[in-house]
Amino acid sequence: MQHVISVTVENKPGVLARVSSMFARRDFNIHSLTVGPTEDPKRSRMTVVVDGPEMEQIVKQLYKLIHTLKVVEHVPGEAVEREIMLVRVNAEAQRRGEILDAATIFEAKAVDVGAQTITFEVVGEPSRLADFLEIMKTYGIVSLVKSGRIVLAKDTKSATKKQRKSA
Amino acid sequence: MSEQLTGADILIRALEHEDVEIIFGVPGGAILRAYDSLYDSSIRHVLARHEQGGGHMAAGYAHATGRVGVTFATSGPGATNLITPLADAYMDSIPVVAITGQVGSRSIGLDAFQEAHTWGISMPATKHNYLVTQVDEIASTIREAFHIASTGRPGPVLVDITKDALIGKAPWRGPGQLDLPGYKPSVKGHPRQVTSAIEMILGSQRPVLYAGGGIIRAGASEELLAFATQQNLPVVTTLMARGAIPDSNPLTLGMSGMHGTYTASTAMQRSDLLVTIGARFDDRVTGDPALFAPEAKVIHVDVDPAEIGKIRNADIPIVGDAKAVLGQLIEAGERALEGAPAPERSEWFSTIAAWQRDFPLAYDQQPDRPILQQYVIDELSKRTDADTIVIAGVGQHQMWASQFWGFEKPNTWINSGGLGTMGFAVPAAIGAQAGMPDTTVIAIDGDGCFQMTFQELITAAVEKIPVKIAVMNNANLGMVRQWQKIFYDNRYSATELSSSIPNIVMLAEALGCAGLRAESPEEVVPTIEKALAINDRPVVMEFVCDPDAMVFPMIKAGGSNDEILMGPEDL
């Protein structure tokens, strides 16, 4: 089962290494991890997608790190999730039309066109990226890169805060 | 304009502001500037012969005094040699601050001479660590390091400082400020949880108070005794909690687990409630966690929220400092009892008494047989006062020391519990003795452990730190041999040392210590008496022991605590 957590950390050197080292040390499995600045330059936010049955230990171990400020586990449907993907697919001349039609449905943007391939940029919810990939598989995927998920809790009903901060 | 100091001067001044009285360490190129500033300081420096020794000395000092232990090492190999004592202190929650020199910041990453990625290597072995490259970050980093090391769940903190930061100049602006928005250890427990805990305790028929090393760290021994007495709870102490409650108190059942007393292990196994305070359901206590204390509900008090639910689910979790929460529990208990006595639980206590009667800890020292370690430990314990600090290495001697020493006071038992670091005893004893110069400090060590770190006795002799070391020489890596006997069909692969090499008495003399040897039971007491009379230099007592003696009771690793081997006849 996948869980999505947002980890707000102090923007200090090495904090990504601390988080990823802790995951390795405690034998927690990371599916994806993104990190970037936030509205406050002193803070970064990580979005971590974790494989595993339960989150309690992971959340607690994250809080044990001195630079962790806040950990929020997102409830499915109560957060906005986005991912960006670049995918290069085989596109022989005679099939280009149907590929581009499919791409239109997914609002996939052709960002590079070669003699034998088209590269699409797709932005959206992870399930939408998966659906697009499923269709493109029939044409043949040459290469693929994903950004990892970024997530923000919805404004009206914020994600459950399972854990109060304490070290 | 305020006074300009070098980074090294700022470092030493910041340490003085933390009331550091002693540093254990070894100098080298990258930390040379700091040692130059230390030359003018009133802080005592103890020159260890190896950085691992310096690290364990700092930990031993911290164990014995309750203060933060400080160790210095240089970059590269100096820092890597510190990793074992840091990992050891991390497992046992010992407050230590390690300062390491680092190559100049412009050389970092260029494979400079004596460069190692100390920050990265030490990260998983410390509670927190720092790389300081700017002179004006030194004071605040030292303040934070001491704060983190000594608060919440204590632990080691490493501060790696580049050579240019030590050489650079900045004004002294006073001790640094804390800037730790993400670090807020809980102290008080949640009042409603405390009340529920008391209700659960009063409703229990077969409760056991499972006391861990957190009691010692929190200085909560008085509260532990008061609470156990108020609620009439039998108390089991973990290896790390020996001395947390007097062994002479009738409520005390001793240590539980792999080599614990039958009564302590069985009481936990049969209990309907484990009142867990500052303990972490270590595998040496629980055996197979799925088979551990199957009928027990759990109240779990710990300052580290991550310990709660890590191994065993808690019915009532309480996050807080052991001393503070015990204080709350005592208050809530008083309110709930309203002057009435605590439940008698006479059936439970008579069951316990029967186990104590039928399965006591015992040994049988025959006069014409080789010396038993239990006998030596028992005699040492009888001939020293309750303030005596006992340090053990890791192995059979450690288990027997825990079993047969009568502990009456906290901080009198120091050992490597979590990491199980052989070689811990000699340097940790030196650190403890340096911090407690007026107290008798005795290390009980095995010959295998002793040979890992005995060179630190040079430090003890030169620095006039008169520790006493009892080496239980069974010419073997005894605990490993015991496992080979039980689990590997007597195939003693690589566990035999030598009974004659080194000559421990001559070695002790060569290291500047007094050397004594007892080869038969009748020589044990005279040897102890001679050793206790020597106080002007370290003493090494060698006891030539039975290599075939085994530690019992024993619960097989990963087994059920229902299956306790009481002696060789149970194998």
Side-chain angles (χ1 to χ4, degrees):
Chain A
M1 170 153 184
Q2 284 193 345
H3 302 265
V4 184
I5 46 179
S6 287
V7 189
T8 308
V9 294
E10 288 186 80
N11 183 12
K12 296 226 167 157
V15 69
L16 174 61
R18 288 186 197 279
V19 170
S20 57
S21 159
M22 186 279 288
F23 271 83
R25 189 162 80 242
R26 296 279 172 187
D27 199 22
F28 302 143
N29 223 339
I30 298 177
H31 178 78
S32 74
L33 189 156
T34 65
V35 56
T38 65
E39 69 285 354
D40 178 350
K42 287 174 153 172
R43 295 172 170 207
S44 303
R45 183 171 287 120
M46 297 183 184
T47 305
V48 193
V49 181
V50 186
D51 292 318
E54 64 102 24
M55 291 299 296
E56 188 184 324
Q57 259 302 306
I58 295 179
V59 171
K60 285 175 168 178
Q61 292 295 341
L62 280 166
Y63 270 126
K64 261 181 97 161
L65 301 174
I66 304 289
H67 294 318
T68 301
L69 299 170
K70 195 173 165 192
V71 184
V72 174
E73 183 185 352
H74 295 286
V75 177
E78 292 181 14
V80 184
E81 300 188 34
R82 287 294 178 273
E83 192 162 18
I84 183 165
M85 166 171 85
L86 294 172
V87 56
R88 179 167 298 156
V89 296
N90 280 324
E92 294 149 24
Q94 65 272 28
R95 303 194 80 174
R96 287 200 173 194
E98 56 184 282
I99 291 172
L100 287 167
D101 282 349
T104 309
I105 297 165
F106 285 89
E107 293 174 33
K109 206 160 110 190
V111 289
D112 184 40
V113 179
Q116 296 296 324
T117 64
I118 301 177
T119 304
F120 291 104
E121 167 202 298
V122 196
V123 181
E125 293 188 359
S127 59
R128 178 191 161 98
L129 269 55
D131 290 347
F132 182 69
L133 271 183
E134 203 51 44
I135 288 167
M136 288 302 122
K137 267 186 195 164
T138 53
Y139 305 102
I141 292 163
V142 179
S143 46
L144 168 73
V145 60
K146 284 179 167 186
S147 62
R149 236 177 278 185
I150 55 168
V151 177
L152 261 188
K154 285 182 183 169
D155 190 18
T156 45
K157 196 177 177 190
S158 73
T160 48
K161 285 156 203 151
K162 287 209 162 177
Q163 188 73 29
R164 206 163 49 81
K165 171 72 195 176
S166 56
Chain B
M1 192 183 144
S2 56
E3 184 191 6
Q4 291 281 315
L5 297 180
T6 65
D9 290 338
I10 291 171
L11 167 66
I12 301 302
R13 200 175 280 194
L15 294 174
E16 288 167 350
H17 273 272
E18 300 295 338
D19 294 325
V20 172
E21 54 176 16
I22 188 163
I23 293 167
F24 305 91
V26 183
I31 200 169
L32 211 45
R33 191 65 194 76
Y35 270 89
D36 190 67
S37 298
L38 185 59
Y39 202 56
D40 297 324
S41 170
S42 61
I43 299 174
R44 179 182 181 190
H45 183 266
V46 170
L47 175 59
R49 264 45 178 181
H50 188 287
E51 290 86 355
Q52 184 193 352
H56 289 315
M57 286 176 203
Y61 171 89
H63 262 282
T65 63
R67 299 160 57 91
V68 176
V70 182
T71 183
F72 271 22
T74 195
S75 63
T80 57
N81 280 344
L82 263 184
I83 298 304
T84 299
L86 290 173
D88 186 274
Y90 194 31
M91 276 285 233
D92 287 344
S93 308
I94 309 304
V96 167
V97 169
I99 311 286
T100 50
Q102 180 55 279
V103 300
S105 55
R106 268 175 290 184
S107 300
I108 285 182
L110 301 180
D111 305 313
F113 177 65
Q114 291 192 329
E115 182 187 358
H117 182 36
T118 303
W119 182 82
I121 296 170
S122 62
M123 186 201 298
T126 51
K127 181 175 175 184
H128 194 59
N129 64 356
Y130 293 88
L131 170 61
V132 180
T133 58
Q134 305 292 325
V135 58
D136 54 9
E137 290 171 1
I138 291 174
S140 59
T141 305
I142 294 300
R143 185 73 275 279
E144 290 187 2
F146 275 76
H147 180 71
I148 291 169
S150 59
T151 55
R153 180 178 183 172
V157 177
L158 180 138
V159 182
D160 196 29
I161 311 177
T162 60
K163 202 171 170 179
D164 47 322
L166 289 171
I167 290 169
K169 289 199 167 178
W172 171 255
R173 294 196 177 90
Q177 299 294 309
L178 296 177
D179 178 22
L180 297 167
Y183 180 70
K184 299 183 192 84
S186 301
V187 178
K188 286 251 174 192
H190 195 289
R192 200 163 52 225
Q193 299 289 80
V194 170
T195 311
S196 309
I198 292 293
E199 284 168 16
M200 192 175 269
I201 291 167
L202 287 172
S204 68
Q205 309 297 312
R206 302 185 307 283
V208 170
L209 203 166
Y210 164 27
I215 305 266
I216 307 269
R217 292 283 91 73
S221 285
E222 272 180 41
E223 289 83 355
L224 174 70
L225 180 59
F227 181 62
T229 307
Q230 180 200 63
Q231 293 296 322
N232 200 24
L233 299 171
V235 181
V236 161
T237 52
T238 67
L239 179 65
M240 295 310 295
R242 303 289 293 122
I245 187 164
D247 278 339
S248 58
N249 189 292
L251 291 170
T252 306
L253 310 185
M255 181 174 78
S256 71
M258 184 173 274
H259 294 296
T261 66
Y262 181 93
T263 304
S265 300
T266 308
M268 288 180 100
Q269 201 63 358
R270 299 279 169 276
S271 78
D272 65 351
L273 175 63
L274 293 173
V275 184
T276 311
I277 305 180
R280 60 183 177 86
F281 295 89
D282 178 81
D283 56 79
R284 258 48 186 167
V285 170
T286 63
D288 182 350
L291 303 174
F292 173 68
E295 291 158 34
K297 291 200 155 135
V298 171
I299 295 167
H300 196 168
V301 179
D302 207 292
V303 73
D304 178 358
E307 285 305 338
I308 294 170
K310 186 180 83 176
I311 308 285
R312 174 76 173 235
N313 189 47
D315 298 279
I316 300 181
I318 302 177
V319 178
D321 171 78
K323 192 180 179 78
V325 175
L326 273 165
Q328 292 175 283
L329 285 166
I330 292 167
E331 272 178 37
E334 251 170 40
R335 280 198 305 274
L337 289 169
E338 293 178 320
E344 265 187 52
R345 303 185 177 107
S346 50
E347 201 178 320
W348 182 225
F349 276 101
S350 66
T351 307
I352 287 172
W355 290 329
Q356 286 176 317
R357 184 192 61 226
D358 296 341
F359 304 102
L361 285 174
Y363 65 89
D364 179 18
Q365 177 68 69
Q366 295 292 323
D368 54 345
R369 297 284 305 145
I371 297 172
L372 293 176
Q373 301 188 31
Q374 301 95 305
Y375 172 61
V376 177
I377 291 159
D378 198 11
E379 292 296 336
L380 271 167
S381 177
K382 283 180 196 156
R383 285 173 164 69
T384 47
D385 63 35
D387 290 320
T388 302
I389 295 172
V390 187
I391 293 101
V394 171
Q396 289 183 316
H397 67 277
Q398 173 195 28
M399 292 297 106
W400 279 317
S402 168
Q403 291 178 344
F404 288 95
W405 196 281
F407 293 99
E408 293 295 306
K409 293 185 176 182
N411 300 314
T412 58
W413 166 244
I414 298 173
N415 82 134
S416 168
L419 197 67
T421 308
M422 285 179 66
F424 174 83
V426 169
I430 294 168
Q433 182 80 81
M436 304 289 281
D438 301 323
T439 304
T440 304
V441 174
I442 300 179
I444 294 168
D445 215 3
D447 51 329
C449 284
F450 182 72
Q451 289 178 51
M452 288 192 176
T453 49
F454 68 70
Q455 86 270 25
E456 296 302 346
L457 285 172
I458 304 164
T459 308
V462 171
E463 295 277 346
K464 305 207 180 308
I465 300 170
V467 289
K468 302 185 197 310
I469 316 287
V471 181
M472 306 294 177
N473 186 3
N474 60 4
N476 274 277
L477 300 171
M479 186 60 93
V480 185
R481 182 183 157 92
Q482 176 169 340
W483 283 48
Q484 287 173 332
K485 192 176 180 71
I486 298 173
F487 304 113
Y488 291 89
D489 197 22
N490 303 307
R491 288 157 55 84
Y492 300 122
S493 174
T495 43
E496 194 178 334
L497 300 165
S498 161
S499 57
S500 56
I501 305 173
N503 180 320
I504 290 176
V505 171
M506 286 169 68
L507 176 67
E509 298 283 351
L511 299 174
C513 308
L516 303 167
R517 177 181 292 131
E519 295 184 63
S520 62
E522 78 264 15
E523 291 172 0
V524 168
V525 170
T527 301
I528 289 171
E529 283 174 347
K530 256 185 246 168
L532 291 175
I534 299 171
N535 292 307
D536 60 339
R537 61 200 156 127
V539 190
V540 179
M541 298 163 263
E542 179 194 7
F543 297 96
V544 178
C545 293
D546 184 355
D548 289 318
M550 291 194 283
V551 182
F552 292 101
M554 180 175 184
I555 295 164
K556 290 180 182 177
S560 160
N561 286 8
D562 286 324
E563 291 159 32
I564 303 178
L565 310 174
M566 291 306 294
E569 65 282 358
D570 287 348
L571 291 173

